[in-house]
Amino acid sequence: MVEYTEEIEDFEEEITESEEEIQGREMFEHHRFEADKGQMPLRVDKFLLVRLPHASRTKIQDAAESGCIRVNDKPVKSNYKVKPNDVVSVVLSYPKREIEITPENIPLDIVYEDDYFLVVNKPAGMVVHPAFGHFSGTLVNALLWHLKDNPLFTGNDIRPGLVHRIDKDTSGLLVIAKTEEAKSHLALQFFNKTSDRKYLAVCWGNLESETGTITGHIGRHPVNRKVMSVYPDGSHGKHAITHYKVIERLGYVNLVECILETGRTHQIRAHFKYIGHPLFNDAEYGGNAILKGTTFSKYKQFVNNCFAVCPRQALHAQTLGFTHPATGERLSFESPIPPDMLQLIEKWRNYTSER
């Protein structure tokens, strides 16, 4: 008898959960199976087919072609023969949800596009994919219109082509696959942490060091399920590492660059709250109050004006890098600072220069 364990990144819940919780789930499921001592030689695609009832043989074979099936930590093709005690791991996208999604003619800021993927610059305020309370106006609704002739975008899949996401009120770069093979290839890069992601943020307070690393498991808050908490003892959540560098000190706030070593839900927002420097105007993590500065009414008015200029967490996915799924070329894309964050930074520059 074959013994196996199944590992699924984060958790799957019903469509009735909150938009924030759906936004927070990972995009792919990860399975690990161990063949028993009496395992007869069997093609790995057939081996997986009987253990993954929701996955078709074509989907499994596509995963193999993209390097997403590994035996004893080495990528294999679908015709590999599983042997006794082999450890087989596979990365697959979650099965489609049967809900109706309407294509919408929403303009997209497309940074790059070819036959395999496109990179878009998502504005703040746009939800990435449909969820409870947000079944229209999402990035996926726009993609279904833009890619209406692409078979990957013709069903009721709420996450077609998605390999990662950013929060609704975070702006910046996202890559969307246009084929199943490209989707698996890109997903594996994000899973293996070989993609590059760099963020720009404004946080409250003056960071002690010019550079630093924040380490701490991130998991759901035990009471408020819309936010994440940091568990430094590793008792809950998943391992998370954020590297940061101070770009500019602007009095009571800092402009920082963040590089993700892992990709957890709300990672930067939760980590900076944990070290006592919430992101500016991050309502869910306490950054929408005056946390640093003076008690003068003129200063309070200035900060409130800053909140009005940038009415969301000051976080922007500025740089995205990965290997092209077909050519193997290393690519890097950069998005300019959006107008609301640029205005915010300029206001703090002016305030600092006048002090």
Side-chain angles (χ1 to χ4, degrees), residues 21 27 36 89 114 116 118 130 154 166 191 223 230 235 246-247 259 347:
E21 288 182 304
M27 308 299 296
D36 66 19
S89 59
D114 63 19
Y116 303 94
L118 68 159
T154 55
I166 55 179
F191 181 63
V223 178
V230 176
S235 59
V246 177
I247 302 299
I259 296 176
K347 287 182 76 68

Side-chain angles (χ1 to χ4, degrees), residues 116-117 182 185 323-329:
Y116 303 94
F117 66 87
H185 193 288
T323 299
H324 195 290
T327 68
E329 179 186 1

Side-chain angles (χ1 to χ4, degrees), residues 57-91:
R57 188 169 181 179
T58 300
K59 186 174 182 179
I60 292 171
Q61 289 175 337
D62 286 343
E65 288 300 313
S66 303
C68 292
I69 296 179
R70 292 175 172 260
V71 176
N72 305 324
D73 290 328
K74 294 181 180 179
V76 298
K77 297 301 182 183
S78 56
N79 62 355
Y80 172 87
K81 297 292 182 66
V82 178
K83 303 174 183 63
N85 300 321
D86 274 350
V87 177
V88 181
S89 59
V90 59
V91 177

Side-chain angles (χ1 to χ4, degrees), residues 17 45 91 93 121-122 126 277 308 312:
E17 70 189 327
D45 54 353
V91 177
S93 57
N121 189 24
K122 186 189 83 68
M126 175 181 271
H277 295 273
R312 49 101 175 192

Side-chain angles (χ1 to χ4, degrees), residues 280-295:
F280 190 85
N281 211 7
D282 189 344
E284 291 180 327
Y285 290 88
N288 61 336
I290 300 176
L291 301 180
K292 302 289 180 180
T294 72
T295 58

Side-chain angles (χ1 to χ4, degrees), residues 124-273:
M126 175 181 271
V127 174
V128 172
H129 64 65
F132 183 69
H134 294 282
F135 288 106
S136 65
T138 74
L139 177 63
V140 164
N141 292 107
L143 289 170
L144 291 181
W145 179 279
H146 178 74
L147 299 169
K148 52 181 172 285
D149 296 324
N150 185 315
L152 194 62
F153 293 81
T154 55
N156 281 332
D157 186 358
I158 64 170
R159 293 171 288 208
L162 298 183
V163 295
H164 67 129
R165 62 165 74 85
I166 55 179
D167 298 332
K168 172 188 172 184
D169 289 325
T170 298
S171 56
L173 298 174
L174 283 164
V175 59
I176 296 96
K178 295 172 71 174
T179 68
E180 284 287 1
E181 187 174 356
K183 185 177 179 181
S184 297
H185 193 288
L186 291 166
L188 197 64
Q189 294 185 53
F190 279 82
F191 181 63
N192 290 332
K193 306 177 183 66
T194 57
S195 60
D196 300 317
R197 285 173 287 176
K198 190 181 294 182
Y199 289 73
L200 203 64
V202 177
C203 70
W204 276 107
N206 220 3
L207 289 158
E208 192 172 323
S209 304
E210 292 299 312
T211 61
T213 296
I214 310 169
T215 303
H217 279 50
I218 291 179
R220 290 281 166 195
H221 189 280
V223 178
N224 185 358
R225 304 296 290 174
K226 292 184 178 182
V227 301
M228 309 300 286
S229 290
V230 176
Y231 300 90
D233 61 356
S235 59
H236 299 284
K238 296 181 182 297
H239 180 59
I241 299 176
T242 303
H243 306 285
Y244 69 83
K245 178 172 69 173
V246 177
I247 302 299
E248 192 172 356
R249 296 183 183 274
L250 299 167
Y252 300 117
V253 300
N254 283 178
L255 176 64
V256 295
E257 177 186 276
C258 303
I259 296 176
L260 298 182
E261 189 169 317
T262 54
R264 307 306 180 198
T265 304
H266 297 182
Q267 179 170 319
I268 293 172
R269 301 166 66 190
H271 266 170
F272 273 79
K273 168 69 179 295

